[in-house]
Amino acid sequence: QERISQWHDQSSRYSTELRDFKNQVLGMLEAAEKEREAMRAEAESAAVRMERLEREVDYLETQNPAPPCVEVDETLMDKQVATAKQRKNEKYTKLTDCSDTIASVRAMKILKRFGSSSGLWTKDAAGNSEKIYVFDGTANDTVYVFPRMREFTLFSATRKAARIKLPYPWVGTGHLVYDGHLYYIRQQGPSFQVIKFNLANKTVVDSSVFPAEEQIPVFGLSPSTYIEVSADEEGLWAIYATKEDEKNMCLAKLDPASLDIEQMWDTPCPRENAEGAFVVCGALHVVYNTRLPSRARVQCVFDVSGTLAPEDASLVYFPKRYGSHSSLKYSPRERQVYAWDDGYQIIYRMEMKKKMEV
């Protein structure tokens, strides 16, 4: 009876202690929940403030454009002035009446995330095809082809894509689809070739060794791209750089039929901190990183016809992104840029205006 009485006393004491501990734990859980709600409210408030700050920074960036990225060097300036005077006698004869220039980025649309951090996606810059061509990586020989934007957007895998295996691997992200043909860059030893590949019958139509010696990466932030093939209302262009003037880029007009170089220019646009470039109505637009992380802006414009002075060009600001652009492809028929940003595929819709209104 004593042991039974002792067991009842201990059980009663343990029950009381367990009840007290349970009440203590419940109180601690309630306090933790309140603290969690308070922290969530603070985080939401901080996110709202951060978003407001981002909008204010975006507004300040657009209202206070950064100065063009040009080296202040007396010798270089004298050389550029002499080159500019010489170039004035070599006017470019425009093929079209295009007189537009970019005013701003009107909208940004993030399609999806596909492939590696570097790559290229685009449509045919000249034809009416809705096919999407995807180059995953900076060195490969297989191009993915989606029938329409919808299939590319909805499916994460490549099962909806056709595959085109090229006869030679590509290098960099400077390739272009133009009028039913793929123009891509092949490296062969120290030299680079422009390959013209017919997408309909899957054959090489032509190839040409690019007539530039001791080529170097054209963009300081894209070390794998040595030649950027671009298309605009005037036709095909090639953007490149050589050791002869390793600080600045060069521009060449390409004949899409024969791949011959029709005309060449030394531009004042630096390679340093450049991540991409494209041509609009005969004017080279080079995109650079700004001082803020993950931001970029067109800071150098070179118009081959001389109708748009660099100081009068709009220094277009790109909205905040994920990382750095590995490719920027301007579509003259859609007036938008297809960008590859750290594995994300983005469309920038451009607001245009006449050059004489700048």
Side-chain angles (χ1 to χ4, degrees), residues 242-281:
T242 65
K243 284 187 177 181
E244 184 179 357
D245 184 9
E246 61 181 358
K247 291 185 177 181
N248 297 331
M249 301 177 190
C250 299
L251 180 66
K253 185 71 172 62
L254 285 178
D255 183 343
S258 64
L259 300 180
D260 291 338
I261 302 296
E262 297 177 346
Q263 201 167 343
M264 306 176 81
W265 296 266
D266 296 324
T267 79
C269 298
R271 295 173 51 250
E272 185 179 3
N273 294 328
E275 63 178 12
F278 49 88
V279 182
V280 179
C281 284

Side-chain angles (χ1 to χ4, degrees), residues 187-203:
Q187 184 173 7
Q188 194 173 24
S191 62
F192 293 87
Q193 283 183 304
V194 180
I195 307 295
K196 183 179 179 181
F197 183 81
N198 189 301
L199 293 168
N201 55 30
K202 310 297 188 297
T203 59

Side-chain angles (χ1 to χ4, degrees), residues 2-53:
E2 289 179 359
R3 288 198 296 271
I4 291 173
S5 177
Q6 184 179 5
W7 178 80
H8 279 296
D9 292 340
Q10 290 177 349
S11 297
S12 177
R13 187 171 67 252
Y14 291 154
S15 297
T16 302
E17 291 177 355
L18 181 61
R19 185 169 56 254
D20 293 341
F21 177 72
K22 180 180 179 181
N23 292 333
Q24 183 182 1
V25 170
L26 289 175
M28 294 173 63
L29 289 175
E30 290 179 0
E33 182 65 22
K34 291 180 180 179
E35 291 182 1
R36 189 167 71 89
E37 290 297 328
M39 292 179 63
R40 179 188 298 173
E42 290 181 3
E44 291 177 353
S45 176
V48 171
R49 293 196 300 270
M50 182 63 70
E51 185 178 357
R52 186 182 303 116
L53 178 61

Side-chain angles (χ1 to χ4, degrees), residues 24 39 45 96 123 146 219 225 263:
Q24 183 182 1
M39 292 179 63
S45 176
T96 69
K123 285 185 180 180
F146 292 84
F219 309 123
T225 301
Q263 201 167 343

Side-chain angles (χ1 to χ4, degrees), residues 33 36-37 46 64 73 83 88 94-95 102 109 170 217 254 287 294 348 357:
E33 182 65 22
R36 189 167 71 89
E37 290 297 328
N64 300 283
D73 181 79
T83 304
K88 287 181 180 178
K94 295 190 66 175
L95 304 176
I102 298 176
K109 184 177 181 180
W170 76 71
L254 285 178
V287 180
S294 299
Y348 294 109
E357 297 177 0

Side-chain angles (χ1 to χ4, degrees), residues 49-349:
R49 293 196 300 270
M50 182 63 70
E51 185 178 357
R52 186 182 303 116
L53 178 61
E54 287 286 349
R55 290 197 301 266
E56 292 175 355
V57 170
D58 290 350
Y59 175 78
L60 292 175
E61 287 283 348
T62 55
Q63 295 300 312
N64 300 283
C69 184
V70 178
E71 293 240 7
V72 181
D73 181 79
E74 295 298 331
T75 305
L76 180 61
M77 287 180 64
D78 292 341
K79 180 181 178 181
Q80 290 176 349
V81 169
T83 304
K85 290 180 178 179
Q86 182 181 358
R87 291 295 180 189
K88 287 181 180 178
N89 298 323
E90 301 177 8
K91 290 290 186 180
Y92 172 73
T93 304
K94 295 190 66 175
L95 304 176
T96 69
D97 58 354
C98 179
S99 60
D100 292 334
T101 183
I102 298 176
S104 63
V105 176
R106 178 163 55 91
M108 178 184 75
K109 184 177 181 180
I110 302 172
L111 269 296
K112 63 182 298 182
R113 186 170 190 177
F114 175 90
S116 55
S117 59
S118 296
L120 159 72
W121 76 296
T122 185
K123 285 185 180 180
D124 191 320
N128 295 320
S129 174
E130 292 300 317
K131 291 182 178 180
I132 302 295
Y133 299 88
V134 180
F135 299 73
D136 186 16
T138 58
N140 207 330
D141 63 355
T142 302
V143 181
Y144 296 106
V145 184
F146 292 84
R148 287 177 300 275
M149 186 72 73
R150 181 176 181 273
E151 282 77 7
F152 176 65
T153 305
L154 294 180
F155 298 97
S156 59
T158 58
R159 58 189 178 91
K160 289 291 182 178
R163 289 172 171 81
I164 299 177
K165 189 173 179 62
L166 302 175
Y168 314 108
W170 76 71
V171 61
T173 59
H175 326 297
L176 180 74
V177 178
Y178 185 84
D179 196 22
H181 293 85
L182 166 61
Y183 297 81
Y184 74 97
I185 308 304
R186 176 198 183 195
Q187 184 173 7
Q188 194 173 24
S191 62
F192 293 87
Q193 283 183 304
V194 180
I195 307 295
K196 183 179 179 181
F197 183 81
N198 189 301
L199 293 168
N201 55 30
K202 310 297 188 297
T203 59
V204 174
V205 178
D206 202 354
S207 65
S208 175
V209 176
F210 197 77
E213 297 180 353
E214 296 184 306
Q215 285 186 242
I216 55 178
V218 62
F219 309 123
L221 300 182
S222 299
S224 62
T225 301
Y226 286 77
I227 301 174
E228 174 76 28
V229 184
S230 180
D232 74 341
E233 296 76 4
E234 293 286 305
L236 256 58
W237 305 82
I239 310 163
Y240 64 101
T242 65
K243 284 187 177 181
E244 184 179 357
D245 184 9
E246 61 181 358
K247 291 185 177 181
N248 297 331
M249 301 177 190
C250 299
L251 180 66
K253 185 71 172 62
L254 285 178
D255 183 343
S258 64
L259 300 180
D260 291 338
I261 302 296
E262 297 177 346
Q263 201 167 343
M264 306 176 81
W265 296 266
D266 296 324
T267 79
C269 298
R271 295 173 51 250
E272 185 179 3
N273 294 328
E275 63 178 12
F278 49 88
V279 182
V280 179
C281 284
L284 173 67
H285 293 67
V286 185
V287 180
Y288 298 86
N289 273 356
T290 62
R291 58 182 178 83
L292 295 175
S294 299
R295 297 180 183 274
R297 180 193 296 272
V298 174
Q299 289 183 244
C300 187
V301 178
F302 175 73
D303 189 353
V304 296
S305 64
T307 57
L308 178 63
E311 61 271 14
D312 293 333
S314 298
L315 301 183
V316 180
Y317 168 76
F318 287 84
K320 183 179 179 181
R321 310 179 320 281
Y322 296 98
S324 177
H325 291 125
S326 63
S327 64
L328 293 159
K329 286 298 173 183
Y330 172 70
S331 173
R333 65 185 177 96
E334 297 175 318
R335 296 298 177 91
Q336 59 189 22
V337 172
Y338 292 85
W340 191 294
D341 176 14
D342 197 23
Y344 289 87
Q345 289 72 50
I346 301 175
I347 292 177
Y348 294 109
R349 291 185 174 89

